[in-house]
Amino acid sequence: MLRISSPAGARLSDLVSLILLTTPVAALVLLLRNPTLDPQVQVPGFHFAIVTLTALCGIWLAALILRAADRLGDPRTFFLGLSFLAVAGFFFIHGLLTPGVVVHYVSTGIGWAPPLGLLLGATFLALSSERPRPGRQSRWFRRRRQILLGLLLAWAGFLALAVTRPGLLANHPTSLSAYTAARAQKVPVPGYVAMPTTTRFMPHSGAPAKRASTAFPWISMSILGISAGLYLLTAWRYAGNYRLTRTPQQATVVAGVIMLTESQLSFFFASTWRISWWEYHILVLLGFGTILYGLLTGYRQQGGVTATLTSLMLDGSVQALERSYSEVLTALVAAVETRDPYTKGHSQKVARIATQIGEAMGLPPEALRVLYQAGLLHDVGKIGIPDAILSKPGRLSPEEYRLVRTHPFLSEDIVGRITSLRPTLGAIRWHHERLDGSGYPEGLRGERIPLEARILAVADVYDAMTSGRSYREAWSEAAVLAYLRQEAGRLFDPRCVAALHRVLHRRKEMGPAAAPAEAAVAGHS
């Protein structure tokens, strides 16, 4: 198995992020176990303000994404925007129903709006993180206006029911705290009925309050379980992309989705108006705000929300990595390759092939990132080799060949000056080693050669032999594959050769559509 040693800075950053993201759950547990630390803070006006602010933040976020979805014609971007719009709409209704601000009675709709919005948002968010299925998702995208109209009608219908039938769902509590309070037969605060998990209901007609049922809130429990599961699934998928690319946009989506998940725990377990109950409002606002911050950061870095969302939604490791590597690395590789027209594009092709081989072998995202970067930079040391040797049409002299064989050391020295790229040094230094010890620069054998170097060796040989050089014609793909099969086990790792076969077979199955997709991504890099 390929082991990746991430830089200390990245490990520390991940640790700090993990601590910050788990703090709300720890705080919730502390407050629930210590009621003296969890007093009631009943401020309807502030509730209305924070919920409305959250809804407006979500609507702004959704508008940015949906506008970009129209430009891109991408169904998953549409689902991403729709997820935030669904949550924001129900939260807006949640704010309007705050007793004592806009309305002066309690409707059970105020307690049902947040979980329903978060459930609908979780469903759309999970769809946005799926691998694209052109037939099905395209049909949904073509009907996007009908879907938006349907969502608007759902909000209107829910609000109408909440206003005209305010006690419709009074017989079923929306949270565990409401169930517990109903069993204890607590009486609401005189002059104001607690919300949203009220144990009594006061209709706007002024009739006496009805006792809430003590039925266990299995509906709320089901909503919580489904939506939390969908949010965690989405966070896991985006976390995989973040491990691959380490881009801030992926990180902010993961953090925001986790906060939305944690908000539901607070809503379900906390009692109305207590500090622990206020936590869920803060978490939804922070979740929206974090993702919005990521989009705005991407806007500044990439020149537009559309470009940011394109990098967020790319499929496959190669496309995502091509969007994430910096202009400095691109310029460095270009400086080397412009000296020899025969090797132009070689480094990028080796990076792609090596990443695809690693993906076919089931390596983790961190390993794929190392492979891509190592493939991109494995030949930068050739900048120290004289042009006369690099472009010599005939056979090299022993002295010239000895000089060429120093390029792995030179590459290692150049790349090693960049702290974040140090995990690539093993692959760069030893990508010319061979299993039988006949390679260079150190003649390593077998398992002593790191796996990433063995993968890079296969990718490097495949691209070099299928490309023409000043001293020979290009080999056909079939001839190169035959050579690699013949030397598997002696020069090359058989697992890497087999993985290359799977990669090329998949390319053929995908047909000519695969190449334009890669070229389009590369064109944005």
Side-chain angles (χ1 to χ4, degrees), residues 316-323 351-352 355-356 359 372 518 521:
S317 302
V318 172
Q319 292 94 326
L321 285 164
E322 284 181 334
R323 289 289 303 206
R352 288 177 183 169
T355 304
Q356 290 169 337
E359 202 168 20
Y372 186 84
E518 287 190 355
V521 172

Side-chain angles (χ1 to χ4, degrees), residues 23-46:
T23 297
V25 175
L28 177 63
V29 172
L30 178 65
L31 292 171
L32 292 178
R33 292 177 64 88
N34 298 274
T36 56
L37 301 176
D38 195 21
Q40 281 197 343
V41 182
Q42 186 168 317
V43 189
F46 181 70

Side-chain angles (χ1 to χ4, degrees), residues 8-323:
R11 291 199 301 271
L12 179 60
S13 174
D14 290 344
L15 178 61
V16 170
S17 299
L18 181 62
I19 292 172
L20 290 175
L21 288 174
T22 54
T23 297
V25 175
L28 177 63
V29 172
L30 178 65
L31 292 171
L32 292 178
R33 292 177 64 88
N34 298 274
T36 56
L37 301 176
D38 195 21
Q40 281 197 343
V41 182
Q42 186 168 317
V43 189
F46 181 70
H47 177 267
F48 174 78
I50 192 172
V51 171
T52 303
L53 178 62
T54 301
L56 292 176
C57 182
I59 290 170
W60 186 21
L61 178 61
L64 288 174
I65 297 173
L66 290 173
R67 185 181 178 188
D70 268 339
R71 291 176 180 173
L72 293 170
D74 180 30
R76 290 169 306 147
T77 307
F78 171 69
F79 285 132
L80 181 65
L82 204 60
S83 67
F84 299 122
L85 188 62
V87 177
F90 277 100
F91 258 70
F92 189 73
I93 294 172
H94 179 60
L96 287 177
L97 295 176
T98 304
V101 181
V102 178
V103 298
H104 298 281
Y105 55 88
V106 175
S107 169
T108 53
I110 195 171
W112 287 100
L116 290 176
L118 288 167
L119 174 62
L120 196 56
T123 304
F124 289 132
L125 196 61
L127 288 172
S128 78
S129 67
E130 273 195 337
R131 291 275 186 177
R133 299 178 182 179
R136 187 179 68 179
Q137 288 194 333
S138 294
R139 286 196 297 272
W140 285 110
F141 186 70
R142 286 195 297 270
R143 297 170 183 166
R144 60 190 181 280
R145 288 177 177 79
Q146 293 94 318
I147 294 173
L148 287 171
L149 178 60
L151 184 59
L152 182 63
L153 291 175
W155 293 335
F158 182 86
L159 181 59
L161 279 176
V163 172
T164 59
R165 300 287 302 278
L168 182 63
L169 295 172
N171 290 329
H172 192 90
T174 55
S175 70
L176 188 60
S177 61
Y179 164 74
T180 304
R183 285 183 62 88
Q185 296 185 346
K186 293 183 178 179
V187 179
V189 178
Y192 186 76
V193 181
M195 50 66 64
T197 55
T198 180
T199 62
R200 308 275 178 164
F201 173 65
M202 184 180 292
H204 58 283
S205 64
K210 299 178 182 179
R211 178 173 298 178
S213 169
T214 57
F216 187 76
W218 60 269
I219 297 178
S220 302
M221 197 72 176
S222 300
I223 292 175
L224 172 72
I226 295 170
S227 55
L230 290 173
Y231 277 126
L232 290 175
L233 173 64
T234 305
W236 176 260
R237 288 172 174 172
Y238 279 104
N241 287 338
Y242 171 68
R243 290 167 60 196
L244 182 70
T245 64
R246 308 294 294 190
T247 56
Q249 290 76 33
Q250 301 284 358
T252 54
V253 170
V254 174
V257 172
I258 290 176
M259 290 177 195
L260 293 176
T261 308
E262 292 171 332
S263 72
Q264 296 176 93
L265 298 177
S266 175
F267 176 84
F268 188 77
F269 289 105
S271 297
T272 308
W273 294 119
R274 294 193 178 274
I275 298 295
S276 53
W277 175 82
W278 284 103
E279 184 180 308
Y280 99 81
H281 299 83
I282 302 296
L283 284 171
V284 176
L285 177 59
L286 286 176
F288 281 168
T290 300
I291 298 171
L292 182 59
Y293 171 78
L295 287 183
L296 295 178
T297 300
Y299 176 86
R300 289 194 300 269
Q301 292 176 347
Q302 303 188 36
V305 174
T306 304
T308 303
L309 289 168
T310 300
S311 63
L312 199 63
M313 292 295 173
L314 282 170
D315 299 303
S317 302
V318 172
Q319 292 94 326
L321 285 164
E322 284 181 334
R323 289 289 303 206

